[in-house]
Amino acid sequence: MMFWKYYNKTSWRYFMTKTNKRLSLFFKIFLIIFVAYIIRLSWIQLFTGPKLKQKAEQQRDYELTTSQGGTIFDRNMVPLTNKGTQKYIYTSLKTIKDNKDYQLYLLDKIKLSEEELDKYISNTKNNMLKIPAKDNINNVKNGIIVDETKEYSENNLLTHVIGYVNENGVGIGIKKEYDSLLSKSNNTKLKVILDGKSRLLSSKDDYLEVNENNDTIRNSIQLTIDYNIQQIVEEAMEEKEYKGAVIVTDVESGDILALTSQPDFDLNNIGDSNKEKDSEQMNRIIQVPYYPASTFKTVILLSALEDGIDLEQKFECNGSITLAEGQEPFSCHDNVVHGEINLKEAFTVSCNSIFIELANILGGKKILETVERIGLTNKVDIDLDLDIEEKGEVSKLEKVLGPGIGNLALGQEHIKLTPLQIHNLTMIIANNGIKKDMSIIKGYATNKGDISMQFERENDEWIFDRSYAEIIKDYMKSVVEVGTASNLDLSEYGGAAGKTGTAQKNNINNNGLFTGFSPSDNPKYAVTVIVEDIGHKYSSSTAVEVFNKIIKKINLEK
């Protein structure tokens, strides 16, 4: 009995000792595991945690970035781009893709057709789809509506000057020329939350909107254009649905106040313009050389003045003139016989016979020398698309010897000038023989609309004597007062001076031209107008009327 008692006590001690050892070992193992777990959690929290969190957020969150590039301003800091806002619907691609019911629901709220929406969906490579919404839409299911700055306005003003540039660097205008500057942007980020099926979880009000860059940066351009005058010019052409070109400049400074090429194109839908068929994207001001027609008579007159012509000399107009036997005679307008008149009278009524006779006396060599010396066919360079600006065209001397002088004198066949080159000569005349450095750029500006740096201009250049310019100005004034542009009605605004021209394109179509300035004595504005395809009409009923309307409205809106 004593043995069993002793044995039991001994066994119990042994058992307890062994158990304690096991518990101690287990506790040590647990403690090691716990410490390792704490260390692991700390490592995750401090080092790998942020990365894991970022990956989780990337799967759940989607970041929308909207950016506003630089603005193109007019001379008075009126914005010509980034002027309005456009609503966009953002929805996840998974929500809309292969979901015809939702697509049909959206069609009532967006500015796209069903076919256009299909293209948007198929071309989108991101998780989120951005669709232009109608202006009256304020909410949408399974999506959010964001107001973003609209790059181009709906009025489509100054399209060829503002221009565009695509992702391949192809484009025209200021947008292309100053792409590196204008592309500097103020970005706004919007974080949206998606569920496991990439669907939006809540409304825009719950999302975080952060403006990344609110600093003042130099990313904008200030033009010399006057917004109001530009509107006047475009309305004057568009209300008659005229094709052609108009340019308006400040005579004293050389600032280009307005410039239009018609037809224009929609900057909000560039793909619809047809370069080949309608040449909508072609800037006629700098890219299309026209026959200057009778506006070229100013060059013949200048050449005659430099040659020492007697201004009182009388010429005889018989209604037509023949330069060579068997040649078709050159006729005056409507075969009018002007009789015996002097040079001023011949210029005033745009007498073809007398100016052909005068050109024949001067000779082709003398006239071409005048064209060369005044740089008439050279590129003008107004800081806009110089790489695509066209030079004028003039025939070689052998083409204008003998009978060929006739068409040269009339500004047909042997001479072609862009509207800008015609206008440049008018500016020289208005400035008494001095060439101004015309430009469409005033300088750089900030995103806040402040002037940052003004561009320097070339110094004025003397082209011909003031005395010659004064005579030509007097003759141009007579054209308006009693000549081919006497239908101008600008006496209350100081009158005008100019020269008409009607260029024959073919047997059934003419182009109407008028180039001049107003007021006539102390010119403020120089304007050149070309109207294409006017049928059998003349410049007096087309281009002159556009000039009249522009000058009147400019003065009325001062």
Side-chain angles (χ1 to χ4, degrees), residues 161 205 353 422 466 505 548:
V161 173
D205 296 335
S353 298
I422 295 170
R466 181 189 182 99
K505 289 183 69 174
N548 194 62

Side-chain angles (χ1 to χ4, degrees), residues 366-406:
K366 168 64 180 172
I367 296 169
L368 294 187
E369 284 174 353
T370 302
V371 168
E372 176 69 23
R373 188 178 56 74
I374 66 176
L376 187 61
T377 59
N378 295 346
K379 290 186 178 185
V380 179
D381 186 9
I382 57 171
D383 299 312
L384 177 70
D385 289 331
L386 181 61
D387 57 327
I388 60 173
E389 181 182 343
E390 291 287 339
K391 289 184 177 181
E393 303 170 15
V394 62
S395 295
K396 295 188 181 298
L397 179 59
E398 56 267 23
K399 295 284 187 180
V400 296
L401 294 175
I405 198 73

Side-chain angles (χ1 to χ4, degrees), residues 93-158:
L93 186 60
K94 286 188 177 181
T95 298
I96 193 172
K97 194 173 184 180
D98 301 324
N99 188 342
K100 286 296 178 183
D101 290 338
Y102 187 62
Q103 291 175 25
L104 290 172
Y105 162 78
L106 281 183
L107 285 175
D108 290 333
K109 299 177 180 292
I110 62 178
K111 293 182 176 180
L112 302 178
S113 65
E114 187 173 356
E115 183 181 350
E116 289 170 331
L117 179 59
D118 286 340
K119 286 182 180 178
Y120 256 64
I121 295 170
S122 60
N123 291 335
T124 298
K125 297 178 181 179
N126 300 319
N127 289 335
M128 298 293 293
L129 189 67
K130 175 183 176 181
I131 312 168
K134 293 178 180 178
D135 296 335
N136 61 344
I137 301 301
N138 295 312
N139 56 74
V140 63
K141 68 180 183 182
N142 296 330
I144 60 170
I145 296 174
V146 179
D147 288 326
E148 297 184 15
T149 302
K150 193 172 184 181
E151 186 176 14
Y152 299 120
S153 62
E154 294 293 339
N155 65 9
N156 223 32
L157 206 68
L158 203 67

Side-chain angles (χ1 to χ4, degrees), residues 503-514:
Q504 292 181 326
K505 289 183 69 174
N506 47 51
N507 292 330
I508 60 171
N509 231 339
N510 296 333
N511 288 339
L513 298 86
F514 186 76

Side-chain angles (χ1 to χ4, degrees), residues 97-259:
K97 194 173 184 180
D98 301 324
N99 188 342
K100 286 296 178 183
D101 290 338
Y102 187 62
Q103 291 175 25
L104 290 172
Y105 162 78
L106 281 183
L107 285 175
D108 290 333
K109 299 177 180 292
I110 62 178
K111 293 182 176 180
L112 302 178
S113 65
E114 187 173 356
E115 183 181 350
E116 289 170 331
L117 179 59
D118 286 340
K119 286 182 180 178
Y120 256 64
I121 295 170
S122 60
N123 291 335
T124 298
K125 297 178 181 179
N126 300 319
N127 289 335
M128 298 293 293
L129 189 67
K130 175 183 176 181
I131 312 168
K134 293 178 180 178
D135 296 335
N136 61 344
I137 301 301
N138 295 312
N139 56 74
V140 63
K141 68 180 183 182
N142 296 330
I144 60 170
I145 296 174
V146 179
D147 288 326
E148 297 184 15
T149 302
K150 193 172 184 181
E151 186 176 14
Y152 299 120
S153 62
E154 294 293 339
N155 65 9
N156 223 32
L157 206 68
L158 203 67
T159 55
H160 294 86
V161 173
I162 292 172
Y164 67 92
V165 61
N166 64 22
E167 61 274 10
N168 298 318
V170 176
I172 59 171
I174 301 298
K175 283 283 187 180
K176 181 196 174 191
E177 193 81 15
Y178 295 94
D179 179 45
S180 60
L181 177 81
L182 293 169
S183 59
K184 295 177 184 176
S185 60
N186 290 78
N187 295 329
T188 299
K189 283 193 174 181
L190 185 72
K191 281 190 175 181
V192 297
I193 305 171
L194 307 176
D195 66 9
K197 295 183 178 180
S198 295
R199 295 174 300 190
L200 291 167
L201 286 179
S202 52
S203 68
K204 181 193 171 216
D205 296 335
D206 300 323
Y207 301 149
L208 177 65
E209 197 166 0
V210 182
N211 194 327
E212 285 194 314
N213 181 6
N214 199 30
D215 297 332
T216 299
I217 56 175
R218 186 166 81 181
N219 70 342
S220 301
I221 290 286
Q222 184 186 22
L223 303 183
T224 61
I225 293 291
D226 185 297
Y227 179 83
N228 294 323
I229 296 177
Q230 183 68 31
Q231 279 191 312
I232 290 169
V233 166
E234 295 201 16
E235 286 171 5
M237 290 291 281
E238 290 173 356
E239 67 184 15
K240 294 280 190 177
E241 296 184 351
Y242 282 152
K243 287 173 63 177
V246 181
I247 181 170
V248 182
T249 51
D250 181 283
V251 170
E252 184 178 358
S253 67
D255 284 355
I256 295 172
L257 303 176
L259 181 158

